[in-house]
Amino acid sequence: MNHLAGESSPYLIQHRDNPVDWYPWGDEAFERARREDRPIFLSIGYATCHWCHVMEHESFADEEVAALMNRLFVSIKVDREERPDVDHVYMSVCQLTNGRCGWPLNVVMTPDRRPFFVATYIPKRARFGRPGLMELLPRIGELWQSDRDRVVTSAAEITEALHRMGRAGGDPAGTPDATDSARARDQFAERFDREHGGFGAAPKFPSPHNLMFLLRFWRRTGDEHSLHMVTRTLRAMRLGGIFDQVGFGFHRYSTDASWKLPHFEKMLYDQALHLMVYTEAALATADTFFKQTARQIAEYVLRDLQSPHGGFYSAEDADSEGEEGRFYVWSAREIDEALPLEDARFVREMFHVSAEGNFEDEASGVRTGANVLYLTSDEALMAPEISERLDRVRRTLMKRRDARPRPLLDDKVLTDWNGLMIAALSRAGSAFQDTELVEAAKRAAESVLTKARRNDGRLYHRSRGDEVGIDGMLDDYVFLSWGLVELYEATLSTTYLASARDLMALAIELFMDTDRGGFFLSTSDSANLLIRPKDFTDGALPSGNAIAALNLLRLSRLTGDRGLEEVAENTLAAGAPFVRQYPSAFAATLLSTEFLESAPTEVVLAGAATGDDVGAMHRAIAQRFLPSTVVLMRDPADDRIAGIAPFAKEFGLPAGARVAAYVCRDHVCRRPVFTVGEMLSEIDGGS
């Protein structure tokens, strides 16, 4: 074994038997590189990454490649899910120098971590005009020995560019506003695929936070095209092969423009964000299609990704039996063998199964005889007589599929991704009045807060089995806080609100940039980072700064702490210069803009928390799409809320009343109302 033998990351474990003498990220590797005057070969990936597997099997498991790497470099392997801070730094380098980036990400750098070469997948030998490792590695080694000044100069220029990005200050014009939201909406409209939904051409990556922004823009402005872009995209994705039609849940992305042919890994964060946006679409439109999809996503997550302790595992691989998608695809013959004749014909017609197959190998483009199941109409899902038959045959296919070797389960539990799932389950459970979903969110929250929280309140980023490690980063604090705010609004349990507030207080203490505003990704004492990264750009996940700002705005209104709103304003101002360059790349930041532009509303419910009258009002709010409304519970028999939101003490229960709702807007609270209808009328009066 190499130096990864003691690691717990599933990705690093995959590489511990490689002949490449891999080190984990840390002092030992850097010290050896300095001592032996060697460059560092850094390779970043994750356990369920298909092209990471390809590069490992082709090169890193190859003795010839390993001999070159071991002679010329000190090699470091990083799990980008465990170390998003490291990944962010060198992905930024890739974006500066290459433009198109992804994983595996391979970087060559000096012993003091300054990069001078970056690439994604590299074949063993040159092909299709792409140089291979066997050609590149000696060339880089020779450059290191014979032209060191050129290497050092290049590394210094790249490093300085990174530092300049980090030094960007706030916008004197203030925070992003409705004009920026309108520009973002127009940019999405320009890229909208009217035929297939989604934005741009193939490959298509779902970005649910973009759709969440468009839903809020529609809610505030009444712009019907914004709503259409959301519903068309959500419907197309659910019908396409990017959705697992047999076992449910979403694959990572679509390799084609019509959502039919996926890249097959399933990530926890995708499920969380999809669950959230399908829930919001169901509330916004009252369309049961979106509600059904949300429930199916939750069914997959609770069945296949929830650990016995309640937390959620990270991902399932794209590959099994040495092939991408093997677990998920079907030949026509397999369909015929699995089902009675008429049911087989029904499935083949419904899901476009053919003898020649519809699935093409991503690398070669050759049809394999395998079929990805997809639909072209939602009629089968919504017509009861077809839907019942479809569900019956689906269960038969799932039983047969479960007999196949399963893809690898990446069973680490990440605090930030669990925060997203807690938020999504809380929102869906509350919206659909589904206690199972809310209970799952509570179990996950209790598990993460028990296992991943230190005695001083700080978080760990990762747990796996009984082992915890890696200091928490910005996303751990803000995503978990988001989940706890949503869980509070689903349960009205003061404990969750207190924990959400405490986590954001720690985020301010540990990560806030007191000079330029916004939040760094890592703490000031994070070891071995070239720069201290700070970013507002959305990727597959919304940016930590965006969610920090949104949390602070909501918590400010829930607690009455206006200082939190000031931090949010400074954060948004720090991000404004980037947002104004290209607003649609910062849709998650614009969630805060929409919150502020939509007359934020606080509703204080006074009464017995367990009473039917309070419950009726709580349900009425939860079952509507009210993204700029927060709900606080004031139970006269429970004074704990006064320690978190002192202003709540003023909202008593009038004599003779069993419930009262106080609707507040622009720091002014209306007279109490006593019926659901009156409360909703007050809320709608400001929207």
Side-chain angles (χ1 to χ4, degrees), residues 55-200:
M55 191 164 179
E56 184 207 358
H57 297 151
E58 182 182 6
S59 297
F60 299 146
D62 181 86
E63 296 283 354
E64 193 176 12
V65 172
L68 269 179
M69 292 180 67
N70 295 340
R71 177 167 60 85
L72 298 173
F73 304 95
V74 173
S75 298
I76 296 177
K77 179 61 74 170
V78 166
D79 182 343
R80 65 108 173 174
E81 295 169 357
E82 284 201 337
R83 294 302 305 262
D85 51 348
V86 175
D87 177 63
H88 184 277
V89 170
Y90 294 102
M91 187 58 72
S92 297
V93 173
C94 183
Q95 289 161 348
L96 276 171
T97 58
N98 286 15
R100 190 175 181 89
C101 301
W103 297 275
L105 180 64
N106 299 291
V107 182
V108 183
M109 56 190 186
T110 64
D112 58 356
R113 302 175 300 285
R114 292 182 297 165
F116 59 90
F117 173 84
V118 62
T120 53
Y121 165 75
I122 309 171
K124 177 183 176 181
R125 297 192 184 277
R127 63 174 184 263
F128 305 122
R130 181 194 293 261
L133 283 175
M134 296 302 295
E135 294 82 25
L136 275 173
L137 297 181
R139 205 177 304 163
I140 294 172
E142 174 62 25
L143 190 66
W144 178 257
Q145 294 298 329
S146 63
D147 201 354
R148 184 74 60 89
D149 289 345
R150 179 181 169 192
V151 169
V152 170
T153 299
S154 175
E157 289 173 350
I158 293 171
T159 303
E160 175 56 29
L162 285 177
H163 281 295
R164 283 198 302 272
M165 290 170 60
R167 289 194 295 265
D171 191 334
T175 62
D177 56 23
T179 301
D180 299 304
S181 281
R183 288 181 58 219
R185 177 268 182 207
D186 291 345
Q187 287 168 359
F188 283 123
E190 288 171 6
R191 303 201 312 273
F192 179 60
D193 183 339
R194 295 177 179 273
E195 182 178 1
H196 302 298
F199 304 93

Side-chain angles (χ1 to χ4, degrees), residues 201-354:
K204 279 186 175 172
F205 294 84
S207 297
H209 39 286
N210 293 344
L211 303 179
M212 292 168 66
F213 159 72
L214 288 170
L215 277 174
R216 284 156 178 74
F217 188 86
W218 161 77
R219 177 77 169 77
R220 177 173 63 85
T221 67
D223 176 54
E224 290 298 325
H225 188 57
S226 291
L227 180 62
H228 171 70
M229 287 189 283
V230 172
T231 57
R232 179 73 185 95
T233 299
L234 292 179
R235 199 172 300 276
M237 289 194 303
R238 168 59 185 88
L239 296 176
I242 192 174
F243 188 80
D244 179 358
Q245 303 292 341
V246 173
F248 303 149
F250 277 93
H251 299 296
R252 175 75 276 273
Y253 65 88
S254 178
T255 63
D256 68 327
S258 57
W259 306 106
K260 293 174 183 175
L261 304 178
H263 203 37
F264 286 93
E265 63 259 47
K266 288 182 174 180
M267 314 300 295
L268 178 66
Y269 61 77
D270 280 326
Q271 314 312 318
L273 294 169
H274 280 298
L275 176 55
M276 195 170 294
V277 74
Y278 276 94
T279 297
E280 291 192 348
L283 294 176
T285 66
D287 190 330
T288 55
F289 177 83
F290 300 129
K291 178 179 179 180
Q292 180 191 77
T293 303
R295 287 186 175 279
Q296 289 168 344
I297 297 167
E299 179 181 329
Y300 160 67
V301 170
L302 299 185
R303 183 189 68 231
D304 289 347
L305 294 183
Q306 190 164 36
S307 76
H309 300 292
F312 294 98
Y313 299 133
S314 295
E316 288 192 294
D317 206 335
D319 294 16
S320 58
E321 301 181 79
E323 296 179 25
E324 185 194 2
R326 178 68 192 92
F327 182 73
Y328 298 103
V329 297
W330 298 83
S331 68
R333 180 178 178 181
E334 285 175 312
I335 297 291
D336 292 342
E337 291 174 349
L339 297 167
L341 178 61
E342 288 304 314
D343 283 345
R345 287 175 176 168
F346 169 74
V347 166
R348 290 175 67 165
E349 179 179 354
M350 189 68 64
F351 288 110
H352 308 279
V353 174
S354 65

Side-chain angles (χ1 to χ4, degrees), residues 332-408:
R333 180 178 178 181
E334 285 175 312
I335 297 291
D336 292 342
E337 291 174 349
L339 297 167
L341 178 61
E342 288 304 314
D343 283 345
R345 287 175 176 168
F346 169 74
V347 166
R348 290 175 67 165
E349 179 179 354
M350 189 68 64
F351 288 110
H352 308 279
V353 174
S354 65
E356 64 273 17
N358 61 34
F359 177 60
E360 297 178 353
D361 179 80
E362 185 178 1
S364 66
V366 175
R367 291 206 173 194
T368 64
N371 293 272
V372 177
L373 305 188
Y374 65 88
L375 298 162
T376 51
S377 168
D378 62 4
E379 179 184 355
L381 300 174
M382 306 314 296
E385 66 281 1
I386 303 177
S387 178
E388 290 172 9
R389 184 180 186 187
L390 189 61
D391 192 57
R392 175 173 54 80
V393 297
R394 183 190 65 79
R395 292 180 185 278
T396 301
L397 292 177
M398 186 170 171
K399 185 176 180 180
R400 174 139 180 153
R401 194 178 79 174
D402 283 345
R404 299 172 178 173
R406 289 193 70 91
L408 168 78

